[in-house]
Amino acid sequence: MDFTPGTQRQYKDRLFKAIFGRDTEESKRWRLDLYNALNGTDYADPDALELNTIENVIYITMHNDVSFLIDDQMVLFEQQSTCNQNMPLRGLMYFSQLYQIYLAETDQDPNRSKKIEIPAPKFIVFYNGPTQLDDESEMRLSDAFKIKGEAKLAPCNNPYEWTAYVKNINENHSEGLQKKCNALYDYSKFVGMVRRNKKSGMKVQDAVNKAVDEAIDKNLLDGFFTRQKAEVIGMILEEFNEERFKRNMRAEGYEDGFSDGFSDGETRKSVETAENLLKMNILSFEQIAKATSLSLEKVRELAENLSVLA
């Protein structure tokens, strides 16, 4: 696989999405179990969940895991193995796209004067990284607002809020939730196996292979690891490759944007963001320039390359 900077990289489904986000009978069942465990419900029909996934919303390596509609809620699940303080902002971006899809599919136009009723959003982040977190926590978009010092908004103008509800699903965390959803428990157990094997000094390939064999022996996920052994190994190894790529990018200065041919003020992230916003065709060139800190001339150049009209 080519990890050359600038290469368009397409990754396989991560394990969490392969378990909970596919259109198979077992995935539907696991997805329903997870929803019931989170909400204290007892739905019995797996087809009650309407799967509605989106990927690569803004950044190439940024993609949500599972989203679906049920009970007039638009629910999005995302798995994270790193602490990311931008989850509320990412959630806002995800749901913007999901609502556009919803309006298009229901043939509704937000420019009309009649109020449109939309599903209520719920954004849940399942965290299983090495950093110690509480079993449950909340991340709020307003924490990122640039309100300095004594500059406070009037009570009647409280800032817009968007919340990411974080569930720590590492082993020995959120045990009540995991007891209610066997698939989530087995997934967490497998991730713990890989981590322990790796910490013992095993090479990544060996650590993953051993964890998969252990999962097969323990019949985790009702034989899923037996049926999907090669695919699971490929997913996990690809994720390790991506993490290594990111580390190399940081070491070489690419995340600072000055080592790969961009001019001062132009980072790879800002250019990729601008390109994706241009493809979405919902903001003006001026708004995109302001959002990405790129010059208006640069945005116009990118638009011309992408054949996007003003």
Side-chain angles (χ1 to χ4, degrees):
M1 176 170 293
D2 183 6
F3 284 106
T4 303
T7 300
Q8 176 81 12
R9 301 182 307 280
Q10 296 295 332
Y11 301 111
K12 296 179 181 177
D13 283 354
R14 293 296 185 260
L15 183 56
F16 182 89
K17 187 174 180 183
I19 295 169
F20 296 104
R22 290 185 173 177
D23 193 25
T24 63
E25 293 306 313
E26 63 181 6
S27 186
K28 289 179 181 179
R29 174 167 49 85
W30 293 333
R31 190 159 60 243
L32 182 63
D33 288 345
L34 181 56
Y35 182 88
N36 284 336
L38 285 166
N39 293 280
T41 51
D42 57 358
Y43 291 103
D45 180 11
D47 290 322
L49 303 186
E50 179 182 343
L51 188 65
N52 182 20
T53 59
I54 55 174
E55 292 186 310
N56 301 321
V57 181
I58 297 296
Y59 307 119
I60 291 175
T61 58
M62 167 182 159
H63 62 280
N64 71 288
D65 290 324
V66 182
S67 68
F68 52 83
L69 298 172
I70 187 172
D71 267 358
D72 293 325
Q73 289 189 83
M74 183 176 286
V75 186
L76 188 150
F77 293 163
E78 180 166 9
Q79 177 269 331
Q80 279 284 311
S81 58
T82 58
C83 290
N84 188 329
Q85 297 300 309
N86 296 311
M87 294 308 299
L89 179 59
R90 288 170 51 144
L92 179 64
M93 294 176 175
Y94 290 146
F95 277 96
S96 173
Q97 298 305 296
L98 288 169
Y99 280 128
Q100 288 187 56
I101 293 171
Y102 173 80
L103 292 176
E105 290 181 344
T106 56
D107 194 26
Q108 300 187 81
D109 185 355
N111 293 313
R112 296 173 183 168
S113 58
K114 184 179 179 180
K115 180 174 65 177
I116 296 174
E117 293 186 343
I118 60 175
K122 190 170 185 179
F123 182 30
I124 299 176
V125 178
F126 294 98
Y127 171 77
N128 64 347
T131 301
Q132 293 298 315
L133 294 182
D134 293 337
D135 284 6
E136 296 186 357
S137 57
E138 295 182 5
M139 300 175 66
R140 299 183 182 279
L141 182 64
S142 60
D143 291 337
F145 292 166
K146 292 183 177 180
I147 303 176
K148 305 296 185 182
E150 299 299 321
K152 302 294 184 181
L153 296 179
C156 61
N157 293 321
N158 286 331
Y160 175 83
E161 192 59 87
W162 194 274
T163 304
Y165 299 95
V166 182
K167 308 284 186 181
N168 187 344
I169 57 168
N170 280 299
E171 288 184 298
N172 303 319
H173 287 273
S174 302
E175 293 182 342
L177 176 62
Q178 295 196 39
K179 285 179 180 178
K180 294 178 182 178
C181 181
N182 289 332
L184 186 65
Y185 174 84
D186 287 355
Y187 166 74
S188 176
K189 193 170 187 65
F190 173 75
V191 172
M193 291 174 181
V194 175
R195 187 169 293 146
R196 283 193 296 274
N197 291 342
K198 192 168 178 290
K199 282 185 176 179
S200 71
M202 298 177 65
K203 294 181 179 179
V204 172
Q205 177 83 54
D206 295 333
V208 174
N209 286 338
K210 183 179 179 183
V212 171
D213 288 340
E214 290 179 287
I216 291 173
D217 290 340
K218 296 178 183 296
N219 196 35
L220 298 186
L221 290 170
D222 303 324
F224 174 84
F225 289 94
T226 301
R227 297 189 298 275
Q228 307 290 340
K229 180 175 181 178
E231 185 179 10
V232 169
I233 291 174
M235 291 176 197
I236 304 301
L237 291 179
E238 196 142 19
E239 187 161 354
F240 277 116
N241 284 340
E242 181 182 358
E243 291 174 358
R244 183 176 59 194
F245 169 76
K246 289 179 178 178
R247 288 196 300 270
N248 291 339
M249 288 281 282
R250 286 193 291 270
E252 295 172 13
Y254 283 108
E255 286 196 351
D256 293 329
F258 301 113
S259 302
D260 54 358
F262 293 120
S263 63
D264 189 6
E266 294 178 6
T267 67
R268 178 169 296 282
K269 181 184 293 185
S270 63
V271 169
E272 290 179 349
T273 301
E275 289 176 338
N276 282 284
L277 289 172
L278 286 166
K279 292 174 184 176
M280 289 159 55
N281 197 27
I282 58 175
L283 298 177
S284 68
F285 290 175
E286 290 79 6
Q287 289 172 318
I288 293 174
K290 185 175 182 180
T292 59
S293 298
L294 294 175
S295 67
L296 182 57
E297 291 73 18
K298 181 64 177 181
V299 173
R300 292 186 185 280
E301 176 188 333
L302 294 173
E304 184 177 349
N305 292 338
L306 295 170
S307 299
V308 175
L309 299 177

